[in-house]
Amino acid sequence: MNAVTESHVPGVERAFPIGGPILQLDAISLRFGGVHALTNISFDIREHEVRAIIGPNGAGKSSMLNVIGGLYTPQEGTIRFRGETLSNMTPGKAARMGIARTFQNIALFKRMTVLENIMAGRRLFTHASFLEVALQLPRARREELESREKAEEIIEFLEIQQIRKTQVSRLPYGLQKRVELGRALAAEPQILLLDEPMAGMNVEEKQDMCRFILDVNDHYGTTMVLIEHDMGVVMDISDRVVVLDYGKKIGDGPPDEVRNNKDVIDAYLGVAH
Amino acid sequence: MYYRQAGTYRTDYAQDMRLLPLKEDRILLGVVLLAAFAVIPFTASDYWLSAILIPWLCLSLVALGQNILMGYAGQLSLGAAGFMAAGAFACWNFMHRVDWMPFPVAVFLSGLIAAAIGIVFGLPSLRVRGLYLAVATLASQFFIVWVIDKFGWFKDYDSSGIITAKDIVIFGKSFTSPAEMYLVVLTITVVLTWAAMNMARGSVGRNWQAVRDMDVAAEVMGLSLLRTKLQAFAISSFYCGVGGALFAFTYLKSVEPAAFDINLSFRVLFMVLIGGLGTIIGSFYGAGFILLLPVFLNIFFHALFGKAVDATITSALEQVIFGVMIILFMIYEPLGLAKLWQNFQERMRRWPFKF
Amino acid sequence: MNPEILFFFEVLLGGLLAGVMYSLVALGFVLIYKASSVFNFAQGAMVFFAVLSFVGFMELGLPFFLALLVTVGLMVLVGMATERFVLRPLVNQHEDTLLMATIGLAFVLEGLAQLVWGVEVRRLDLGIPDVPIMWIADATGIFVSALDLVAGLVAAVMVAVLAIVFSRTKVGLGLRAVADGHGAAMSIGIPLSQVWVFVWATAGIVALVAGMLWGARAGVQFALVGLALKALPVLIIGGFTSVPGVIVAGLIVGASEKLAEVYIGPYFGGGIEGWAPYMLAVLFLMFRPEGLFGERIIRRV
Amino acid sequence: MAAEGAGGETFAQLLIGQADRRGDASAIREKRRGIWGNVTFAALSEEAAALSLALAGRGLVRGDRIAVIGENRPRLFAAIAATHALGGVAVPLYPDCGATELAGQLRATDARAIFAEDQEQVDKVLEILPDCPGVQLVIYDDDRGMRHYVHPGLVDHAHLMAEGHEIAAAQPDAYRAAVAAGGGEDEAFVFFTSGSSGAPRGVIFTHRALIGRTRAAAAAQGLGETDTTLAFFPPGWLCQTMVSYMSAMAVGLCICCPESLETLIDDMRETAPSALLTTPRMLDAIFSRISTRMEETGGVNLVLYRRALALAQRVGRQMTEGQAPGAVNRFGMAAYGALIYAPLRDFLGMSRLKSACSTGDTLDPAMQGFFQTLGIGLGQLYGSTETAFFVAMQRPGDTRPGPLGAPLEDMEVRIAEDGEILVRSDGVMKGYLDGTTARDAEGWLHTGDAGRLDEAGRLHMIDRMDALGRLADGTPFAARQIESRIRFSPFIREVVVTGEGRDRLCALIDIDTLAVGRWADDHAIAYMGHVDLASQEAVHDLVAGIVAGVNADLARDPALAPLQIARFALVPEELGTENGFLTPTGKVRRQAVTDRFAALIEALHAGRDEVVIEAATGEEGHRGEIALKLRAPGGTGGPGDRRAA
Amino acid sequence: MRRLIQRAASAVLVTAALAASPIAPGIAQAQEQYMAVPSSRVGPYSAMGTGYYGGIIDYMTYVNKTGGVNGVQLTWAECETEYNAARTVECYQRLLSGPNGQKMVVFDTLGTPGAYAVINRMAEDEVVLAQFGYGRTDAADGRVWPWVFNAAGHYWSQIAVKMNFMAQVEGGVENMRGKKIVHLHIDSAYGREPLPAMRQIAEDWGVTLVEISIPPPGLEQKSQWLQIRRERPDWVTFWGAGSGMNATGMTEAARVGFPRDRMMYVTFGGAEEDMVPAGDAAVGTYVVANVVPGKDFPLVQQIEEVVYGAGEGNLANPERVGTVYWNRGVAAAVMWIEALKNAQAIHGKAGQPVTGPEFRDGYEALDMTAEKLAELGMSGMIAPFKLSCEKHDGSGRFKIMQWNGEAFDIISDDFVAAPDESFIRGLVEASAEKFAADNGLSVRDCP
């Protein structure tokens, strides 16, 4: 009827349409001593898309993510961010470029509360020096309030209001994963790397996490790169999928295409299930 | 029971994030501060002021420094006494060499000197952690004391090597009676504790704790481990330096390197562990426990046995009991005295419930 | 030979022999750290407690070997008591808590020792002369004390015995399993508490041996507690978990601190021995943060 | 006091009145993102203005029915206010009602628009939209997860507001003009009955009726502009909306909205409302929470607590008997006041309570007594959706257990020959959606409840007329009275007593999994889930003790002495809203339960010791045959008898 | 058991009372004089502390049992300092007023760091700091330090005496030229304390002085002794602290073959507790004594009889009667009591307790003549001396002893003096005057 809202362009189903490549990985190779973790891998990540990296255990998924996040420096290959070639990536640089991440084994700040963890994620938006903080000068107070507001927004978004002041180590696994997502969101990232966000979760928790991932993408337009071991879940939520096996890329494309890729079926689906 | 929380709600974050969000806590603090500033100086005996309260406040500051480094930033350090010595000698030199310098200024500058030294000795923290770091910091402890001891300049070539602390003079007014010195120490302690609380609960404290709990994640968030750790070392050393200067000037009244030996470093470590890692108030409790328990045990045993039992035996017994208390403490409340207090507060808030 | 070179060797040898003595103390730390990840702050107190008890029993009229036996028994008891009253209630607690508990234990042991045996300084005569062995001195011009040699020998024997115990006995296997993780130890059917008792008792016996050698030289007295501090840089360089590591590190620390004191010390008015080993340890850590033989720390994400 | 809010015939006019007179006062406080936000009357009025203009702009007109579905939120109230400003009729629906039911209600009311709170509600609405051609507009409040929804007719609240502001700028007087056009006889609300007996029915109210009822209710409770309340029951329940939206408009109360139901206890403590609407079920939950936590606490605290309760009861008894308590008792009350009563009131957030009324079901006298010992005056309220609830109530200060209190001023109450309560007032419903009015020729509205009026003019309710049962020998019994007594135990969540036409009474009991689970933990009884717990011998013993205690109580009351629970069974499924056994307000749907467990009831009355029925066997929803034990209550008292003694 | 509980209960009360209000308002009993005993009985210096304070307490017990000080009975309170400056300050403040309400008149820390920590407040509180052979050397100048006394010799005269003895052994001062002395010392202010005098004398005599320091705790001295072996000195003066370091000094000397009879130990390293642990390695080591050990003195024998005979001795091991530290403690206590007697006499308070300033007057009037010493039963135990307003230190003369493996042989018949006593005094006065000038203190005029 008449009430098509102007906020949604008819015919386009996304609030943030998929754009051009934001991150391009070109011929990346990574070795640990003699072990080839990644061999000559190239793919790109487009703005606002949900990009999944899948593959069996030991396929090099986490290494790939660590290369993007600057924790590992590949021996060969280049990474381009918005067309600009990056050399010598460090975690700090990655963070400043707008890359945030979660970890496979939850890496929360265990003795801090949920709220503090998320506020800690605001690192890049706090500029007050320790002296300003110690003396409660205006900038420190203002930033603290801003951090809190943003953190509360995320807390509401992730529906974790009732645990806001709970120490994270006391939370069940699934909630910790959610808090970690919240901490990454607090950095207002352009690209969010999720390392097995659904590992170790039950069906219900997985559904919740899928919903949050999609909501983040929908609400903030964040580009998502996620690693998942379980193929089924990923296929539903990702726009494009990269398949790795033994450090090599064996498939790349939309889920349906990848699902029917023979190499993928042989190397991955046949093995893992 | 004490707390009445019904009907206290917050309508903005500033209310929720203030130092003491609970009205009852603010009243309690007000009462404590009022007593500390307005009642104790006029009612407490000289013994209490100069032998209990002053050293307790000084060592609380040091423990606070140690706690910032160890409890908040997670960097195990054993150099507190070294930084105290640096602060004490720096303060003496400022006072000695610059006539007009008011005591608080000298103390502040001494803290800065200690902080600078702390940064240097904090450098190993980038490579090592845990016990390894603790032992590495022991080097600073020994080295600082050795340098001060060895080079006469620090003592202005005093023949005895033990120098007498100067009288505390602030803009012409001298603070020499126990009550006056107590007020000086108290004021500095209160101000620095307030600052520490602000840091601990603010972004600075979160950064420290992030490095402590999960450094990789902290780095990925864009936190520089180098800066954060060195900042913690510097601030921690500042507190130790200030505490050391006050300790020498208001309690020992003499400045000698041997007073800042490794045992003192260990005692500061105990204070933090007993008081509660990662809590500001715990530093005060811990300092009180480690400093005062032996004193009270000593008084108690002398009162109990009088001269009937060999004093050597009672002294040894004191040590045993002190040790047993520490063990029991660790078994029943490993998170320290601050946790006990927190539990008590929680219980008061939930009274008549326990949980 | 050139007297300067001869002197150098003498300093070096003296340092190495002193290092062995450090290693003996450090060995106790390693045993306990290996089995329970506890940094045993009470190791120095155990040295004091053990050797003071030994001398005390001798004073009561027990012959040397009987006194030794009784003291070994006492140290086993201490190990059992420690396991029962300190470690067991604190199982699964944070390392800092355990460290703090051993500090409490140190106070208890120091206090008990002084309570039972008094505070007097005692002499311990092992019957080994602590004077230069003349034929070596005559032949080489280097003075080596018999006690030093015995200490070196004892240290070697102890390391060998411990190595055999670890690799050949069931408890030793258990210990190694414990070092790999508590779960693993359970799975091979050795109760953790037994392993701990064993390790603490062994550390107590090592403390007794170290205390006897040190006590023979400096007297049996409270100052022995301070030996623990000397052991720390050794531990750092050797790594907290390696028995051979502490021996090698002890030698390194001993030799380097003596050389530093003799050759560098005079420029600063001496006394640098106090911190030189620590500085060495710090420098060492900069290049090998896990110590000489420690397990490599791998950063996992 | 209520008169202060006068100055309008419709809720919309009242809002403008409030906004003009005290625009800066808080109308609504909502806990969101950790802090309590504030919506003033002026802001609410402005939002209502913009929304109503936008609605009008989208083609909605006076008299249209507009549904709202969601929790108590400022925007929900704004939606109602906008509806009223437009001259429309607000239809608050229960947020947890199923899609089919929702479709039925939308069709029955012929709603033209619906305000849906969030994605969950929108999904439900969009699903049934094809079946409800009348609905032209779906407005959602929370845009979370909805950015990619493309549907004609879907609009987000913020967007609608923007439209409204544009229109308001162009036509500054449109809002006030529209509001002024309304009159007291206009329809204001359609509410659906909770359906504890039969399907929910839509009930129509005029502005005049509800404004009058609201003011009368406030006057009876002594509430005014300075008071606050916490709204946590679904807005679809008339009583809740009366105590929230209507009270805010007509009396000027401030409504507090909790952050979520999980944080309700904390939110309650934070707000410490001065007026509170509760149900016996909720009081039961609070009570069982207090007792289990007290038990867990143990030690001196428990001893003090028990003594404090005992003393308060003793003193209470003395007072009812007209004796003044002695100095010792007075001192004791003061001491326990500081130690137990006041901290507990504080803990519950009830320390500022002026008026708390309980409705929706029969309140057990012991339960009411318990809260009174804590110094919380809990009044019973009688009424139904049709009568706008406030028919008779215990006024603050006269809250003795037993009667429901005297009728309100504007309410005529009469007991019919057959014992049915009849009421007559301007403040009751206009009629049902189907056009019936349930009134007789003289205008008396038949409530369907059985009751009596005592000498002092206080109303006593016995039960629903149709729930009033008779045993085979003709002994009448009111199942609800007995049920509420059994339900008083913290271990028991729900109970259904049967006996119509039988020789004796039997009970189906649903245990409180949490409380019994904790009890089981304490007694080292291993169990897995509700089903397993309900099959444990020890749990049966526990319940048997409780039932025996109730039997003993009943025996002491001459009027009820013949009524004894002969046998009982523990139901293998938790009775919940989601499986249809409870109404959204938490009342048990008797029919649903007796239908579902017909075999069980048969077996109970037949005196068998075991029966096999089909039920969910585990938490995962597998179904299978379960053998249930049927038990007779044990001797008097028992381990689980926690009646404050 | 019940009694123990009662005592425990009362002890709790006392502790609480002290904690609540340390100024006990008790009325001073006319016939009591309160004394403070800041003992150190645990830790590395426990052997020293138990002996020294044991001697002090034993002598006070002896005085009480033999009629008190003109009828005034002594009472005392003890406090454990653990030989730690910080705790010493606490003990000082705690002991400042006694349980009977009397104020402390004298305080003896048996340690330089502790003495420094309390030295200033004692002047304010008007309490005598009785250093006995330790502490601040230039405090021997009573014009600058009116409240500090050192009734035994200080470190400067001690080193002078040692060097004088070396000269005697070498056959005269002239033979000292070209000799080499190593001053082996703990690396602390105390270890370096004798250096100003020592350097001066060495320069005057043409002696080469080599200073080598040992970092505490000094259980390892290999590198120092290797250096000594390389230096091949004629004499070693050893300035250690704690019997561990002291004993190690001798065993290490044995290991490098340095003759023990060319080593001279400081007064705080020259006790049985230091010698015994070193065993045979100790034989031949020289020690100087400000108070001569042994039981040959009538006073020692009387204490043993009166106090230990009654089972009231303070030493856990009665065999330690007559040892170096115990005898030194007795002598220190004798000074207190003699000063007390003087104070009573000067201020006409015979049979009454005295105050701090009165006590100080009594101290300044100490005149320990040979006759007086004989009367006290301690002839030959200490050298006679006389204090005055400006002179606050004792004789400055020491006896030389040598360890024979079992006990000390007194090898100097008489007390040895410094080669030039006025020179040492000059050093003291110069240092004190510099201190006074640096710190703006007024220099007292002495009559």
Side-chain angles (χ1 to χ4, degrees), chain B residues 274-277 279-283 285-286 329 333 335-345:
Chain B
I274 287 274
L277 277 171
T279 60
I280 299 288
I281 191 84
S283 315
Y285 296 144
F329 216 98
E333 194 42 270
L335 296 176
L337 287 159
K339 181 69 184 168
L340 275 185
W341 168 246
Q342 198 191 331
N343 288 348
F344 174 75
Q345 261 184 322

Side-chain angles (χ1 to χ4, degrees), chain D residues 405-490:
Chain D
L408 269 73
E409 293 154 21
D410 62 341
M411 194 52 81
E412 280 182 85
V413 176
R414 186 167 75 85
I415 305 296
E417 295 295 306
D418 59 355
E420 185 173 8
I421 301 171
L422 307 179
V423 301
R424 188 162 66 184
S425 164
D426 288 343
V428 299
M429 68 170 179
K430 187 176 168 189
Y432 290 110
L433 274 177
D434 58 12
T436 57
T437 60
R439 288 190 179 85
D440 60 18
E442 293 168 43
W444 290 98
L445 188 121
H446 289 246
T447 59
D449 295 325
R452 64 184 175 86
L453 282 164
D454 65 12
E455 327 67 65
R458 291 179 300 216
L459 186 65
H460 296 250
M461 186 199 167
I462 298 169
D463 206 335
R464 294 287 301 164
M465 286 295 282
D466 51 12
L468 215 54
R470 276 178 195 280
L471 293 177
D473 62 0
T475 318
F477 70 94
R480 284 216 270 178
Q481 276 183 331
I482 303 169
E483 285 164 8
S484 72
R485 283 173 190 253
I486 299 175
R487 211 168 42 220
F488 178 64
S489 161

Side-chain angles (χ1 to χ4, degrees), chain D residues 132-156:
Chain D
C132 307
V135 179
Q136 297 170 358
L137 198 59
V138 180
I139 306 111
Y140 61 91
D141 162 2
D142 183 357
D143 68 349
R144 162 75 194 284
M146 305 219 21
R147 295 248 176 142
H148 62 277
Y149 276 58
V150 176
H151 189 280
L154 195 61
V155 62
D156 92 8

Side-chain angles (χ1 to χ4, degrees), chain E residues 48-180:
Chain E
M48 193 164 85
T50 47
Y52 186 73
Y53 291 106
I56 287 178
I57 291 173
D58 282 341
Y59 184 70
M60 292 197 295
T61 311
Y62 169 76
V63 169
N64 277 353
K65 289 178 104 54
T66 52
V69 186
N70 295 326
V72 175
Q73 287 284 306
L74 302 168
T75 67
W76 58 90
E78 215 178 328
C79 176
E80 174 63 50
T81 67
E82 291 179 15
Y83 203 81
N84 167 323
R87 291 239 6 218
T88 304
V89 173
E90 189 271 319
C91 277
Y92 170 79
Q93 295 287 358
R94 192 198 311 170
L95 296 178
L96 193 55
S97 13
N100 62 4
Q102 264 179 9
K103 208 167 141 195
M104 173 205 288
V105 293
V106 58
F107 196 69
D108 181 345
T109 61
L110 186 63
T112 309
Y116 271 88
V118 295
I119 202 162
N120 281 358
R121 43 188 107 207
M122 293 183 70
E124 281 163 30
D125 294 332
E126 303 190 319
V127 177
V128 166
L129 172 60
Q131 303 176 150
F132 199 76
Y134 63 87
R136 190 160 189 133
T137 300
D138 60 9
D141 188 339
R143 298 170 307 155
V144 178
W145 304 99
W147 294 93
V148 187
F149 292 86
N150 190 347
H154 47 65
Y155 292 128
W156 290 353
S157 41
Q158 187 177 145
I159 198 69
V161 165
K162 282 178 179 165
M163 293 179 78
N164 206 10
F165 175 72
M166 291 174 202
Q168 282 176 27
V169 173
E170 298 286 351
V173 170
E174 53 286 358
N175 287 355
M176 288 298 281
R177 183 162 299 278
K179 292 277 188 294
K180 189 186 256 182

